[in-house]
Amino acid sequence: MLSRRKKRRTAKTSGAMRLRVRLPVVKKVSLFEGLSGKELRQIAGLVNELEVPAGTRLATAGEPGGEFFAIVKGEAGVTTRSGRTAVLRAGDSFGEMSLIDGQPRSATVQANTPMRLLVLDQRDFRRLAGRTTSIALKIMQTLSRRLRAAEGDVVPE
Ligand code: CMP
């Protein structure tokens, strides 16, 4: 059995290793672009990685949502309640709407291919968005773009 001191050291080491593995992954998410090295390391310490096979439902329209997702690899299909569809790819993120307003998921999101994702729970997402102005601004830009698209405006990519 490990001594308490050794256990503490092992936990620290594996935390540092996890950070080293996750940091390059976190850097690929467009929402986190422009953040400082310190901020990126903080995020890498908060997220969990998730691998899912094609066909996995990650969010279901009308149901409560508790997580925010950022896509590292693969592709997801979005179908809103009004039938609008969109495709999300590496660097894109989703699931922020329910976490912001506490309402049920606005759309169903399903993996079109095997996917690798980063997952943040509601509390960490809110803390991060509240603390990091550039993330909050990017979320607002994404929501504005979606609103314009839903209203039929021409939206440049
Ligand atoms: P949320 O409502 O929490 O869960 C479903 C997610 O799908 C939603 O957050 C957004 O991140 C995403 N989403 C909703 N509508 C669209 C859209 N029109 N285009 C792209 N993604 C969307």
Side-chain angles (χ1 to χ4, degrees), residues 7-121:
K7 255 191 209 158
R8 213 182 303 136
R9 214 180 311 138
T10 310
K12 255 194 188 162
T13 312
S14 61
M17 266 174 66
R18 271 165 54 152
L19 208 68
R20 233 190 2 250
V21 172
R22 282 187 202 162
L23 198 53
V25 180
V26 167
K27 283 182 184 165
K28 286 188 190 151
V29 177
S30 55
L31 196 65
F32 305 145
E33 253 169 38
L35 296 191
S36 68
K38 188 179 164 197
E39 287 168 331
L40 291 170
R41 279 195 298 279
Q42 280 174 349
I43 296 172
L46 295 174
V47 293
N48 285 307
E49 279 183 72
L50 176 69
E51 301 227 11
V52 296
T56 305
R57 211 174 244 219
L58 297 156
T60 304
E63 289 191 2
E67 297 100 11
F68 166 78
F69 301 88
I71 303 175
V72 178
K73 215 168 140 188
E75 187 189 285
V78 179
T79 310
T80 68
R81 303 183 91 167
S82 63
R84 182 175 285 274
T85 57
V87 173
L88 302 176
R89 299 189 174 83
D92 291 334
S93 40
F94 62 92
E96 74 294 340
M97 292 173 67
S98 288
L99 301 197
I100 289 171
D101 66 10
Q103 294 297 306
R105 295 291 196 198
S106 61
T108 293
V109 185
Q110 189 157 330
N112 289 341
T113 64
M115 294 183 79
R116 191 164 166 218
L117 304 124
L118 296 179
V119 189
L120 257 182
D121 71 29

